[in-house]
Amino acid sequence: MKKFALVVDESGSKGYSRKKGNDANAFGIMCGYLIEDDYVDAVRIGFSKLLSPVANTINNDKLHITDLVPEQQEYARKIICEKFSDVGVIWFYSAIYQQGFYESVHNRGGDKKNQRGELLHAELFYHLLVKVLDYIAKTEDREISISIISDTVDEKTLKEFEKKISDYVNVITGKKNEYKYTQYDKDTGTCSKFTMVSEVIADNGTLLDVLDLKFSFEDSSLTFVADILSNMAYYYIKGNIKKDSNIKLNSLSAIDKHPLKDFVIGCYDDEKEDFMRLFDVVHRK
């Protein structure tokens, strides 16, 4: 079994879809970088040493890039970009417009099923995981374990994560999804219960035989680096939105000028067909 660690963090909007918001350009983003599980401890120690000049207590206290003074922020971004470029660390991100998310949930009645609506934070994680698994599924490994490392999230949010990805995990591992629903017949005054079963059968070898996902939470150099990534990506996308308010958040154009643009996975070229476009279509403005 091939084992990975996916370290994630988010920036921007991430709340429930009950509120549309007033800013058409407001968006949320989640970033993650992928490393082989065997190297997690070494990478944690390495990042701690690199970032010690600006965060000597990083292993004990929760720290965000925005907690630092501008000079320290610049140092942290520069040193991480240099390390990612030197080693070739790949990273991923998912981004969604807040109003686009509200509209997509509202149009399919998701806000009626749940009084709070749906959680953008969970949708961001779902989109990110799809990109990561699409990348991994193209390798020869058919049995995959991913430890998802994040700073602390509450139990309610974690359940939203797990609920959101459950159907997709079943799809990519070739398992069945069951959906139970009740139908009322107004003519007879009776209710009937149904179970719908769906299953995807692939003949192209892209499905995984085993997918083991587990969550762990820590405030360390690992999660601080994910925070730096998400903050940087948010900054560059926000700047590019100012230049083009119709920009597609998950396209390469959205992160134009980003120093780690060449190492991002899961973004699409505006000039080419790519199924990753669907993320921007579903939650378009």
Coordinates of all heavy atoms in Angstrom, one line a residue, residues 65-113:
I65 N 0.5 33.0 9.0 CA 1.4 33.9 8.3 C 1.0 35.3 8.6 O 1.9 36.2 8.7 CB 1.4 33.6 6.8 CG1 2.4 34.5 6.1 CG2 0.0 33.8 6.2 CD1 3.8 34.1 6.3
T66 N -0.3 35.6 8.8 CA -0.7 37.0 9.1 C -0.4 37.4 10.5 O -0.6 38.6 10.8 CB -2.3 37.1 8.8 OG1 -2.9 36.0 9.6 CG2 -2.6 36.9 7.3
D67 N 0.0 36.5 11.3 CA 0.5 36.9 12.7 C 1.8 37.6 12.7 O 2.2 38.2 13.7 CB 0.5 35.7 13.6 CG -0.8 35.0 13.9 OD1 -1.8 35.8 13.8 OD2 -0.9 33.8 14.1
L68 N 2.6 37.4 11.6 CA 3.9 37.9 11.5 C 3.9 39.4 11.0 O 3.0 39.8 10.3 CB 4.8 37.0 10.6 CG 4.8 35.6 10.9 CD1 5.6 34.8 9.9 CD2 5.4 35.3 12.3
V69 N 5.0 40.1 11.3 CA 5.2 41.4 10.7 C 5.5 41.2 9.2 O 6.0 40.2 8.8 CB 6.3 42.2 11.5 CG1 5.9 42.4 12.9 CG2 7.6 41.5 11.3
P70 N 5.3 42.3 8.4 CA 5.6 42.1 7.0 C 6.9 41.6 6.6 O 7.0 40.7 5.7 CB 5.4 43.6 6.5 CG 4.4 44.2 7.4 CD 4.8 43.6 8.8
E71 N 8.0 42.0 7.3 CA 9.3 41.5 6.9 C 9.4 40.0 7.2 O 10.0 39.2 6.4 CB 10.4 42.2 7.7 CG 10.5 43.7 7.4 CD 9.5 44.5 8.1 OE1 8.7 44.0 8.9 OE2 9.4 45.7 7.7
Q72 N 8.8 39.5 8.3 CA 8.8 38.1 8.6 C 7.9 37.3 7.6 O 8.3 36.2 7.2 CB 8.3 37.8 10.0 CG 9.2 38.3 11.1 CD 8.6 38.2 12.5 OE1 7.4 38.4 12.7 NE2 9.5 37.8 13.4
Q73 N 6.8 37.9 7.2 CA 6.0 37.2 6.2 C 6.7 37.0 4.9 O 6.7 35.9 4.3 CB 4.7 38.1 6.0 CG 3.7 38.1 7.1 CD 2.5 38.9 6.8 OE1 2.1 39.0 5.6 NE2 1.8 39.5 7.8
E74 N 7.4 38.0 4.5 CA 8.2 38.0 3.2 C 9.2 36.9 3.3 O 9.5 36.1 2.4 CB 8.8 39.3 2.9 CG 9.6 39.4 1.6 CD 8.8 39.1 0.4 OE1 7.6 39.3 0.5 OE2 9.4 38.6 -0.6
Y75 N 9.9 36.8 4.5 CA 10.9 35.8 4.6 C 10.3 34.4 4.6 O 10.8 33.5 3.9 CB 11.6 35.9 6.0 CG 12.6 34.8 6.3 CD1 13.9 34.8 5.9 CD2 12.1 33.7 7.1 CE1 14.7 33.7 6.2 CE2 12.9 32.6 7.4 CZ 14.3 32.6 6.9 OH 15.1 31.6 7.2
A76 N 9.2 34.2 5.3 CA 8.6 32.8 5.3 C 8.1 32.4 3.9 O 8.3 31.3 3.5 CB 7.4 32.9 6.3
R77 N 7.5 33.3 3.2 CA 7.0 33.0 1.8 C 8.2 32.7 0.9 O 8.2 31.7 0.1 CB 6.2 34.2 1.2 CG 4.9 34.5 1.9 CD 4.1 35.5 1.2 NE 2.9 35.9 1.9 CZ 2.8 37.0 2.6 NH1 3.9 37.9 2.7 NH2 1.7 37.3 3.3
K78 N 9.3 33.5 1.0 CA 10.4 33.3 0.1 C 11.1 32.0 0.4 O 11.4 31.2 -0.5 CB 11.4 34.5 0.4 CG 12.7 34.4 -0.5 CD 13.5 35.7 -0.3 CE 14.8 35.7 -1.1 NZ 15.7 34.6 -0.7
I79 N 11.3 31.6 1.7 CA 12.0 30.4 2.0 C 11.2 29.2 1.6 O 11.8 28.2 1.2 CB 12.4 30.4 3.5 CG1 13.6 29.4 3.8 CG2 11.2 30.0 4.4 CD1 14.9 29.9 3.2
I80 N 9.9 29.2 1.8 CA 9.1 28.1 1.4 C 9.0 27.9 -0.1 O 9.1 26.8 -0.6 CB 7.7 28.2 2.0 CG1 7.8 28.1 3.5 CG2 6.7 27.1 1.4 CD1 8.4 26.8 4.0
C81 N 8.9 29.0 -0.8 CA 8.9 28.9 -2.3 C 10.2 28.4 -2.8 O 10.2 27.6 -3.8 CB 8.6 30.3 -2.9 SG 6.9 30.9 -2.8
E82 N 11.3 28.8 -2.2 CA 12.6 28.3 -2.7 C 12.7 26.8 -2.4 O 13.2 26.0 -3.3 CB 13.7 29.0 -1.9 CG 13.9 30.5 -2.4 CD 15.0 31.2 -1.6 OE1 15.5 30.6 -0.6 OE2 15.3 32.3 -2.0
K83 N 12.3 26.3 -1.2 CA 12.3 24.9 -0.9 C 11.4 24.1 -1.8 O 11.8 23.0 -2.3 CB 12.0 24.7 0.6 CG 12.0 23.3 1.0 CD 13.4 22.6 0.8 CE 14.5 23.3 1.6 NZ 15.8 22.6 1.4
F84 N 10.2 24.5 -2.0 CA 9.3 23.8 -2.9 C 9.9 23.7 -4.3 O 9.8 22.7 -5.0 CB 7.9 24.5 -2.9 CG 6.9 24.0 -1.9 CD1 7.3 24.0 -0.6 CD2 5.7 23.5 -2.3 CE1 6.4 23.6 0.4 CE2 4.8 23.1 -1.3 CZ 5.1 23.1 0.0
S85 N 10.4 24.8 -4.8 CA 11.0 24.8 -6.1 C 12.2 23.9 -6.2 O 12.4 23.2 -7.2 CB 11.4 26.2 -6.5 OG 10.3 27.1 -6.6
D86 N 13.1 24.0 -5.2 CA 14.3 23.1 -5.2 C 14.0 21.7 -5.2 O 14.6 20.9 -5.9 CB 15.2 23.5 -4.1 CG 15.8 24.9 -4.2 OD1 15.8 25.4 -5.3 OD2 16.3 25.4 -3.1
V87 N 13.0 21.3 -4.4 CA 12.7 19.8 -4.2 C 11.7 19.4 -5.2 O 11.6 18.2 -5.5 CB 12.2 19.6 -2.8 CG1 11.9 18.1 -2.5 CG2 13.3 20.0 -1.8
G88 N 10.9 20.3 -5.7 CA 9.8 19.9 -6.6 C 8.6 19.4 -5.9 O 7.9 18.5 -6.4
V89 N 8.3 20.0 -4.8 CA 7.1 19.6 -4.0 C 5.8 20.0 -4.8 O 5.7 21.2 -5.2 CB 7.0 20.2 -2.6 CG1 5.8 19.8 -1.9 CG2 8.3 19.8 -1.9
I90 N 4.9 19.1 -5.0 CA 3.7 19.5 -5.7 C 2.6 19.9 -4.7 O 2.6 19.5 -3.6 CB 3.1 18.3 -6.6 CG1 2.8 17.1 -5.7 CG2 4.1 18.0 -7.7 CD1 2.1 16.0 -6.4
W91 N 1.7 20.8 -5.2 CA 0.7 21.3 -4.4 C -0.6 21.4 -5.2 O -0.6 21.4 -6.4 CB 1.0 22.6 -3.7 CG 1.2 23.8 -4.7 CD1 2.3 23.9 -5.5 CD2 0.4 24.9 -4.8 NE1 2.1 25.1 -6.2 CE2 1.0 25.7 -5.8 CE3 -0.8 25.3 -4.2 CZ2 0.4 26.9 -6.2 CZ3 -1.4 26.5 -4.6 CH2 -0.8 27.3 -5.6
F92 N -1.7 21.5 -4.5 CA -3.1 21.6 -5.0 C -3.8 22.7 -4.4 O -3.6 23.1 -3.3 CB -3.8 20.3 -4.8 CG -3.1 19.0 -5.2 CD1 -2.1 18.5 -4.4 CD2 -3.4 18.3 -6.3 CE1 -1.4 17.3 -4.7 CE2 -2.7 17.2 -6.7 CZ -1.7 16.7 -5.9
Y93 N -4.9 23.1 -5.1 CA -5.8 24.0 -4.4 C -7.2 23.9 -5.1 O -7.3 23.5 -6.2 CB -5.3 25.5 -4.5 CG -5.6 26.3 -5.7 CD1 -6.8 26.8 -6.0 CD2 -4.6 26.4 -6.7 CE1 -7.1 27.5 -7.2 CE2 -4.8 27.1 -7.9 CZ -6.1 27.7 -8.1 OH -6.3 28.3 -9.3
S94 N -8.2 24.2 -4.3 CA -9.5 24.3 -4.8 C -10.1 25.7 -4.3 O -9.8 26.1 -3.2 CB -10.4 23.2 -4.3 OG -10.6 23.3 -2.9
A95 N -10.8 26.4 -5.2 CA -11.3 27.7 -4.9 C -12.8 27.8 -5.4 O -13.1 27.3 -6.5 CB -10.5 28.8 -5.5
I96 N -13.6 28.4 -4.6 CA -15.0 28.5 -5.0 C -15.5 29.9 -4.6 O -15.3 30.4 -3.5 CB -15.9 27.5 -4.2 CG1 -15.4 26.1 -4.6 CG2 -17.4 27.7 -4.5 CD1 -16.1 25.0 -3.7
Y97 N -16.3 30.6 -5.5 CA -16.9 31.8 -5.2 C -18.0 31.6 -4.2 O -18.8 30.7 -4.3 CB -17.5 32.4 -6.5 CG -16.5 33.1 -7.4 CD1 -16.3 32.6 -8.7 CD2 -15.9 34.2 -7.0 CE1 -15.4 33.2 -9.6 CE2 -15.0 34.9 -7.9 CZ -14.7 34.3 -9.1 OH -13.8 34.9 -10.0
Q98 N -18.1 32.5 -3.2 CA -19.1 32.3 -2.2 C -20.5 32.4 -2.8 O -21.4 31.6 -2.5 CB -18.9 33.4 -1.1 CG -20.0 33.4 0.0 CD -19.8 34.5 1.0 OE1 -18.7 35.0 1.1 NE2 -20.8 34.8 1.7
Q99 N -20.8 33.4 -3.6 CA -22.1 33.6 -4.2 C -22.4 32.4 -5.2 O -23.5 32.0 -5.3 CB -22.2 34.9 -4.9 CG -22.2 36.1 -4.0 CD -22.6 37.4 -4.7 OE1 -22.9 37.4 -5.9 NE2 -22.7 38.5 -3.9
G100 N -21.4 31.9 -5.9 CA -21.6 30.8 -6.8 C -22.0 29.6 -6.0 O -22.9 28.8 -6.5
F101 N -21.4 29.4 -4.9 CA -21.7 28.2 -4.0 C -23.2 28.4 -3.5 O -23.9 27.4 -3.5 CB -20.8 28.1 -2.9 CG -21.0 27.0 -1.9 CD1 -20.9 25.7 -2.4 CD2 -21.3 27.2 -0.6 CE1 -21.1 24.6 -1.5 CE2 -21.6 26.2 0.3 CZ -21.5 24.9 -0.2
Y102 N -23.5 29.6 -3.1 CA -24.9 29.8 -2.6 C -25.9 29.5 -3.7 O -26.9 28.8 -3.5 CB -25.0 31.3 -2.2 CG -26.4 31.7 -1.9 CD1 -27.0 31.5 -0.6 CD2 -27.2 32.2 -2.9 CE1 -28.3 31.9 -0.4 CE2 -28.5 32.6 -2.7 CZ -29.1 32.4 -1.4 OH -30.4 32.8 -1.2
E103 N -25.6 30.0 -4.9 CA -26.6 29.8 -6.0 C -26.7 28.3 -6.4 O -27.8 27.8 -6.6 CB -26.1 30.5 -7.3 CG -26.2 32.0 -7.1 CD -27.6 32.6 -7.0 OE1 -28.6 31.8 -7.3 OE2 -27.8 33.8 -6.7
S104 N -25.6 27.5 -6.4 CA -25.6 26.1 -6.8 C -26.4 25.3 -5.7 O -27.2 24.4 -6.1 CB -24.2 25.6 -7.0 OG -23.5 25.6 -5.7
V105 N -26.2 25.6 -4.5 CA -26.9 24.9 -3.4 C -28.4 25.3 -3.5 O -29.3 24.4 -3.4 CB -26.4 25.3 -2.0 CG1 -27.2 24.7 -0.9 CG2 -24.9 24.8 -1.9
H106 N -28.7 26.6 -3.6 CA -30.1 27.0 -3.7 C -30.9 26.4 -4.8 O -32.0 26.0 -4.7 CB -30.1 28.5 -3.7 CG -31.5 29.1 -3.8 ND1 -32.4 29.2 -2.8 CD2 -32.2 29.6 -4.9 CE1 -33.5 29.8 -3.1 NE2 -33.4 30.0 -4.4
N107 N -30.2 26.4 -6.0 CA -30.9 25.9 -7.2 C -31.3 24.4 -7.1 O -32.2 24.0 -7.8 CB -30.0 26.1 -8.4 CG -29.9 27.6 -8.8 OD1 -30.8 28.4 -8.4 ND2 -28.9 28.0 -9.5
R108 N -30.5 23.6 -6.4 CA -30.9 22.2 -6.3 C -31.5 21.9 -4.9 O -31.7 20.7 -4.6 CB -29.6 21.3 -6.5 CG -28.5 21.6 -5.5 CD -27.3 20.7 -5.9 NE -26.1 21.1 -5.3 CZ -25.7 20.9 -4.0 NH1 -26.5 20.3 -3.2 NH2 -24.6 21.4 -3.6
G109 N -31.9 22.9 -4.2 CA -32.7 22.7 -3.0 C -32.0 22.2 -1.8 O -32.5 21.8 -0.8
G110 N -30.6 22.4 -1.8 CA -29.8 21.9 -0.7 C -30.1 22.7 0.6 O -29.9 22.2 1.7
D111 N -30.4 24.0 0.4 CA -30.7 24.8 1.6 C -32.0 24.5 2.2 O -32.3 24.9 3.4 CB -30.6 26.3 1.2 CG -31.5 26.6 0.0 OD1 -32.0 25.7 -0.6 OD2 -31.7 27.8 -0.2
K112 N -32.9 23.8 1.5 CA -34.2 23.4 2.1 C -34.1 22.1 2.9 O -34.8 21.9 3.8 CB -35.2 23.2 0.9 CG -35.5 24.5 0.2 CD -36.5 24.2 -1.0 CE -36.7 25.5 -1.8 NZ -37.6 25.3 -2.9
K113 N -33.1 21.3 2.5 CA -32.9 20.0 3.2 C -32.3 20.2 4.6 O -32.5 19.5 5.5 CB -32.1 19.0 2.4 CG -32.8 18.6 1.0 CD -31.8 17.8 0.2 CE -32.4 17.4 -1.1 NZ -31.5 16.6 -2.0

